[in-house]
Amino acid sequence: MLPSLPIPNNLLTLLLLPISLSLVYFLKRSISPSPNDLHRIPPAHPLAPYTPLWISSIRWQSRENATLSAAHARLGPVIRLAPREISVNCVIGGIREVYGGGFEKGERGGKGYNWYGFFENFGGVPNMFSTPDNKTHSTRKRMLSNIYSKSVVLSHPALREQVSTILYTRFLPYLAATFSKAEKPGVLNIYELLSATTLDIVTGYVFGLASGTDMISDPKTLAHYLHLYTSRGAYTFWPQEYPGFTYALERWLGYRFVPKWVDDANAEIYEWVMGMCDSAAQVLRKGEWSLEDTPVVYQQLSQALDKEAKKKGDDAGDRRVGIASEFLDQVTAGFDTSGITLTYVVHELSKHPDLQSKLREELLGLTPPVRPSSAPSLPDPRAVDALPLLHAVIWETLRLHAAIPGPQPRFTPPSGCRLGPEKSYYIPGGVRVSASAGLLHMNDEVYDNPGEWRPERWLEDVSEEKKRNMESRWFWAFGSGGRMCIGSHLAVYQMKFIVAALYSNYTTAIIDDTGIEQVDGYTAPPSNEELLIQLQRVKTG
């Protein structure tokens, strides 16, 4: 059992914070002085033009999203956070140029650090998400983009079979079993169940059902791995923002910002995912498997890497770890973000019973509806995807409750660029720049009353210009450009089917939503990671 997880607040950490940040800043500034070109950009804090201490302290306190929101509201779409860092909150002169223009995740030539290196696994093995340069990312993305494309996801027979098995033999029986409890029948923590279901679907598509997880049927194992996964969250600041200093401090002075047990938790997660990879590889070696046991994504990547390895002469052992690092990132990102979104779908629908009834009416019009009597048949995924109210509910939740609302850093190209709505600011090369979905989605010129959960906004008859702004330009739940989320279509597919299964059979009402507020972080689950709801069976004719 891992220890409880307080925010690091011991005396030594507090003493080292100003000293270490000052040292890192001095070293960085001596190599790369603050560019005078940024003096016209309004600073979010008086110290921002002179030191990164201010924004670093905000991040250390987990207040970045709220702080950036207030600063942009006060100062405009482009603000300065540090001598060599800015934040943008606009499309033209912002995300279109930075993300659509292919700015790198890391500085060219190895300068500075790679913020995304924190997402490497197995002791520094990169994956598609963590790669700093676009060329390497593009090579890997070409190997997987087809299998994650919308056309393939909506039509793949193995995925449909996998989702059918999970919904009809795991998810719906689990819900039905809650009514047999002696105490509080029909009451459950829906966040936990939704996390289990998305994990089972994602690992099913990647590794096949036989090699993937069955967390719905094994809540103890689910709780264990969720604890391993989430308990590390309070210790991300130092290795992510100051990786070199963190490493040097541990190596030369023996002081760890990150406790040893976090390494042990990572090691167990690595072993768990490696086991699924090895099981999928064994299925492929046997040469025969059922449709639901098809390791769809694993097969695609492993075959592509085998072909590449023959040209380069890569080591099979290295390739095995590289595949595991890739799928650890895809599995954790795929289940976590979808589980968070679905939790807020249920929370919002539980507060809006009239809308819940309208959604159920739409869902029961599917042929067949997702009810136990329909097993094992599922409606055509294209028909589910086309349901207008279901789509509006999912999209509005992705907008208001973005699972990843935090900044997505990039670095400006060596030649520099011009940013701002009128391209009024020249930004030199090597400056860290980021945008945030949590801020873009709150633009009241695009989304009327943006703080309200109002799915009908996606169904209203609006101008083509407003529609484009809402649906593509400012909607950023999956990012944009060449490095937007590769698994977005799988995420939407599984969320729509899970909502269809739940609300075709039950109504939901809130029992206890204490701590439902999202944490202020890069990823933003409920602060309590629990939502207790009451189920009631739906009576149909």
Side-chain angles (χ1 to χ4, degrees):
M1 178 65 67
L2 300 177
S4 60
L5 194 66
I7 297 294
N9 61 358
N10 60 71
L11 181 59
L12 181 56
T13 301
L14 291 175
L15 291 173
L16 281 172
L17 179 63
I19 299 172
S20 57
L21 285 174
S22 298
L23 176 61
V24 172
Y25 170 63
F26 174 80
L27 292 175
K28 289 186 68 178
R29 184 167 181 172
S30 65
I31 298 171
S32 183
S34 173
N36 293 329
D37 308 83
L38 301 184
H39 74 277
R40 294 178 54 240
I41 298 177
H45 187 274
L47 291 176
Y50 310 106
T51 173
L53 283 172
W54 170 74
I55 190 61
S56 291
S57 69
I58 293 297
R59 289 173 179 143
W60 188 68
Q61 298 172 69
S62 299
R63 295 194 294 116
E64 184 172 14
N65 295 335
T67 301
L68 292 184
S69 177
H72 276 292
R74 187 175 77 253
L75 301 169
V78 183
I79 59 175
R80 192 174 186 180
L81 306 179
R84 300 189 65 85
E85 180 175 0
I86 63 173
S87 173
V88 296
N89 189 35
C90 53
V91 173
I92 298 173
I95 62 172
R96 188 178 67 177
E97 283 70 22
V98 175
Y99 302 90
F103 286 19
E104 303 276 10
K105 281 187 171 181
E107 292 181 274
R108 296 178 187 271
K111 296 178 182 178
Y113 62 88
N114 176 17
W115 186 87
Y116 293 92
F118 176 80
F119 294 95
E120 294 176 344
N121 303 307
F122 296 92
V125 179
N127 48 64
M128 186 164 55
F129 181 73
S130 70
T131 52
D133 65 291
N134 292 334
K135 183 178 180 180
T136 303
H137 172 271
S138 297
T139 299
R140 176 60 57 85
K141 185 176 181 180
R142 283 195 294 271
M143 298 177 182
L144 291 168
S145 57
N146 177 65
I147 210 69
Y148 279 121
S149 67
K150 185 172 184 176
S151 60
V152 170
V153 166
L154 289 178
S155 63
H156 207 293
L159 177 59
R160 190 170 179 177
E161 188 81 8
Q162 291 157 358
V163 171
S164 172
T165 298
I166 291 168
L167 293 182
Y168 286 130
T169 70
R170 302 180 192 177
F171 181 74
L172 289 175
Y174 184 98
L175 294 176
T178 64
F179 290 94
S180 64
K181 297 188 301 182
E183 295 185 7
K184 299 180 179 179
V187 175
L188 75 156
N189 175 14
I190 195 70
Y191 178 73
E192 188 175 75
L193 175 61
L194 294 171
S195 296
T197 309
T198 55
L199 185 56
D200 285 359
I201 292 175
V202 171
T203 59
Y205 192 52
V206 172
F207 302 115
L209 281 194
S211 303
T213 62
D214 185 1
M215 292 301 187
I216 299 175
S217 306
D218 192 356
K220 288 185 178 180
T221 300
L222 171 68
H224 175 68
Y225 280 107
L226 284 180
H227 179 62
L228 291 179
Y229 178 71
T230 61
S231 63
R232 308 163 300 165
Y235 297 99
T236 61
F237 170 78
W238 288 103
Q240 187 162 36
E241 293 294 334
Y242 296 96
F245 179 69
T246 301
Y247 172 77
L249 195 65
E250 178 182 350
R251 180 173 183 180
W252 301 112
L253 298 181
Y255 181 79
R256 295 178 60 102
F257 283 119
V258 180
K260 176 64 167 61
W261 65 260
V262 173
D263 294 343
D264 297 337
N266 284 331
E268 187 170 346
I269 292 172
Y270 296 159
E271 183 179 359
W272 170 57
V273 173
M274 183 66 80
M276 288 189 281
C277 288
D278 289 344
S279 178
Q282 187 175 8
V283 168
L284 294 178
R285 284 195 296 270
K286 288 181 179 179
E288 294 183 6
W289 54 83
S290 65
L291 186 59
E292 68 178 16
D293 291 336
T294 306
V296 178
V297 187
Y298 183 90
Q299 182 180 32
Q300 175 88 4
L301 181 60
S302 61
Q303 289 178 348
L305 289 177
D306 285 345
K307 186 181 298 184
E308 184 181 74
K310 290 179 181 179
K311 298 178 181 179
K312 297 183 177 180
D314 290 345
D315 179 78
D318 292 341
R319 193 160 67 254
R320 173 174 173 261
V321 177
I323 289 175
S325 178
E326 185 64 61
F327 288 132
L328 172 54
D329 175 71
Q330 293 184 26
V331 165
T332 54
F335 96 85
D336 190 25
T337 55
S338 294
I340 292 169
T341 302
L342 286 170
T343 298
Y344 286 103
V345 167
V346 172
H347 185 254
E348 293 289 359
L349 284 172
S350 298
K351 295 190 296 181
H352 297 82
D354 291 344
L355 189 59
Q356 191 178 141
S357 297
K358 292 178 181 178
L359 176 62
R360 183 173 300 106
E361 182 180 355
E362 181 180 78
L363 294 172
L364 292 176
L366 290 166
T367 306
V370 188
R371 293 179 60 82
S373 58
S374 301
S377 298
L378 285 176
D380 188 335
R382 296 178 187 84
V384 177
D385 186 62
L387 293 177
L389 183 54
L390 175 60
H391 183 80
V393 165
I394 297 293
W395 243 239
E396 179 67 351
T397 308
L398 287 168
R399 183 197 67 81
L400 183 59
H401 299 290
I404 302 182
Q408 305 283 347
R410 299 289 191 270
F411 284 92
T412 55
S415 59
C417 62
R418 301 198 72 88
L419 297 178
E422 298 179 357
K423 305 290 187 70
S424 52
Y425 298 116
Y426 171 73
I427 314 297
V431 170
R432 176 169 159 173
V433 54
S434 60
S436 308
L439 301 182
L440 293 164
H441 292 174
M442 297 302 288
N443 185 339
D444 57 10
E445 295 182 0
V446 177
Y447 305 104
D448 301 329
N449 300 312
E452 297 179 6
W453 188 79
R454 202 168 61 82
E456 54 268 28
R457 76 172 76 246
W458 301 96
L459 304 173
E460 294 169 347
D461 186 16
V462 297
S463 68
E464 286 300 315
E465 179 69 11
K466 185 173 180 64
K467 186 176 181 180
R468 279 193 296 271
N469 280 331
M470 289 176 58
E471 296 183 353
S472 58
R473 293 172 180 166
W474 288 84
F475 185 79
W476 218 51
F478 301 110
S480 60
R483 300 193 71 150
M484 71 179 293
C485 176
I486 194 173
S488 60
H489 301 302
L490 177 63
V492 173
Y493 182 105
Q494 67 172 344
M495 288 191 290
K496 288 185 175 181
F497 264 108
I498 291 169
V499 171
L502 175 58
Y503 285 102
S504 293
N505 296 279
Y506 298 95
T507 65
T508 62
I510 298 169
I511 296 296
D512 187 353
D513 62 354
T514 303
I516 194 63
E517 300 80 16
Q518 290 182 271
V519 303
D520 189 322
Y522 177 73
T523 304
S527 58
N528 193 31
E529 298 186 355
E530 184 175 83
L531 172 61
L532 293 182
I533 65 161
Q534 173 71 62
L535 297 175
Q536 294 291 341
R537 290 188 175 95
V538 171
K539 295 180 181 179
T540 59

